[in-house]
Amino acid sequence: MTVLIDPPAWPAHGTLFSHLVSDTSLAELHAFAASIGVSPRAFDLDHYDVAAERYDVAVAAGAVPVGGRELARRLGASGLRVPGRARRAAKADALLARWDALLPGAREVGVELVERWHEPHRVYHGPEHLVHALDSLALLEGRPPGVPDAAGSPGHAGTGAPSAPGATTPGVTQLALWFHDAVHDGEAGRDEERSAALAGARLAGRLDAGAVDEVVRLVLVTTDHSPAADDRTGALVSDADLAVLASAPDRYARYVRQVRAEYAHVPDDAFRTGRAAVLRALLAGDALLRTAEGATRWEERARANLTAELAALDSPT
């Protein structure tokens, strides 16, 4: 790992601040910041803001001093950089505002979820992914991105009626995305099971039993992204989760780097073999996207991105 710091040149709160970043691992960046007494509150998704008075302390502890442009370049190349617009949308306050509009009166659940999505070991499966999935779902459902359908509106609580697979209940698809990676320990399958169990526990009594069961079911759909042909809600959640695969080339390249950074502990050869197997499995299916809207918007580009990544993994260089 290399921890980098640029000169204190950013004014705020009556002093100047530096940026402290890692070009390898957010987890190790957090450990370094803690070792020099920088508060966790100074972390802003991909960097710490370090007051000028702690600059020399950081350098003495091993942070490499570089210019601002060099720091930005190396952070971008690492796959850990979160662009400004995405950073603003993924900040805790912005996410909590979205949660409050979706499920009023459940602030403590939202706080817990936001804290989980901001856990230090996450790189791809962090708040930026949550925002992208929610905004992708909004496109599929014909809503403006960032404007939720309230899950607590009439008909969502107190009816006791179960929701049939494929029935669209406003807010339930969004709740499924909020919970789908709420537990992320890097254990495929088990993470989804634990996330689904968390959804059931935290939503019990806040929505009717049928809606809670539907959220739990939809979280589990993201295990293999194989909803039944008549499962409209499952297809919406699956497509929103996979929408990143159809990103523009620069965003897809960043996604690839983020995934690699999240598995930095895995040796290169093992990662290449495992990642290639995942890509081949995705490409072998009849369709990546299960909704008509998703297929029209994203299928062709997603397959092109996956094919290009697989070719790069298979290349001897």
Side-chain angles (χ1 to χ4, degrees):
M1 181 194 74
T2 302
V3 173
L4 309 170
I5 191 167
D6 62 6
W10 309 94
H13 310 296
T15 187
L16 297 175
F17 284 84
S18 297
H19 297 125
L20 183 75
V21 308
S22 167
D23 65 359
T24 305
S25 166
L26 288 181
E28 291 181 308
L29 174 63
H30 290 304
F32 183 89
S35 74
I36 61 171
V38 176
S39 169
R41 294 182 180 180
F43 182 64
D44 188 9
L45 296 182
D46 59 8
H47 71 274
Y48 279 87
D49 293 315
V50 177
E53 65 189 39
R54 304 208 64 78
Y55 176 84
D56 290 340
V57 174
V59 172
V64 178
V66 295
R69 289 185 179 180
E70 175 68 6
L71 182 142
R73 184 190 69 78
R74 291 177 64 174
L75 180 61
S78 74
L80 301 178
R81 179 178 176 272
V82 179
R85 180 181 178 184
R87 180 185 298 113
R88 290 189 293 273
K91 283 190 174 183
D93 288 348
L95 283 173
L96 282 172
R98 292 177 73 143
W99 173 264
D100 288 341
L102 175 63
L103 195 61
R107 167 54 75 101
E108 67 276 16
V109 179
V111 169
E112 178 187 357
L113 287 172
V114 169
E115 289 177 349
R116 286 177 174 273
W117 281 97
H118 282 83
E119 288 169 337
H121 67 278
R122 298 173 184 252
V123 184
Y124 170 64
H125 293 91
E128 185 186 6
H129 168 54
L130 173 60
V131 170
H132 187 269
L134 290 171
D135 287 348
S136 298
L137 177 67
L139 289 174
L140 296 175
E141 293 183 333
R143 292 180 291 103
V147 179
D149 281 331
S153 59
H156 295 270
T159 68
S163 301
T168 302
T169 305
V172 170
T173 48
Q174 293 167 75
L175 286 170
L177 290 176
W178 271 94
F179 279 98
H180 83 286
D181 281 327
V183 177
H184 182 64
D185 296 328
E187 299 180 63
R190 287 291 291 147
D191 283 350
E192 289 81 5
E193 291 174 3
R194 292 166 181 156
S195 295
L198 183 71
R202 297 296 184 267
L203 295 177
R206 299 183 183 278
L207 302 177
D208 68 68
V212 174
D213 289 346
E214 177 69 346
V215 173
V216 169
R217 185 187 74 81
L218 291 172
V219 171
L220 293 174
V221 165
T222 66
T223 304
D224 59 7
H225 300 95
S226 297
D230 62 348
D231 182 4
R232 169 68 176 171
T233 46
L236 286 167
V237 170
S238 179
D239 282 10
D241 190 26
L242 294 180
V244 67
L245 300 181
S247 297
D250 58 339
R251 175 65 183 92
Y252 188 82
R254 184 159 60 87
Y255 153 73
V256 170
R257 292 193 297 268
Q258 287 175 326
V259 171
R260 182 65 186 103
E262 206 160 69
Y263 292 91
H265 59 283
V266 178
D268 284 343
D269 287 348
F271 179 82
R272 291 166 69 90
T273 299
R275 179 66 178 171
V278 170
L279 299 183
R280 290 192 179 94
L282 287 170
L283 289 167
D286 293 334
L288 293 165
L289 290 310
R290 300 307 182 93
T291 64
E293 303 93 321
T296 299
R297 286 177 178 273
W298 300 320
E299 182 77 22
E300 183 177 356
R301 187 188 296 172
R303 286 189 172 274
N305 283 337
L306 292 173
T307 300
E309 184 189 353
L310 182 59
L313 289 170
D314 288 341
S315 169
T317 57

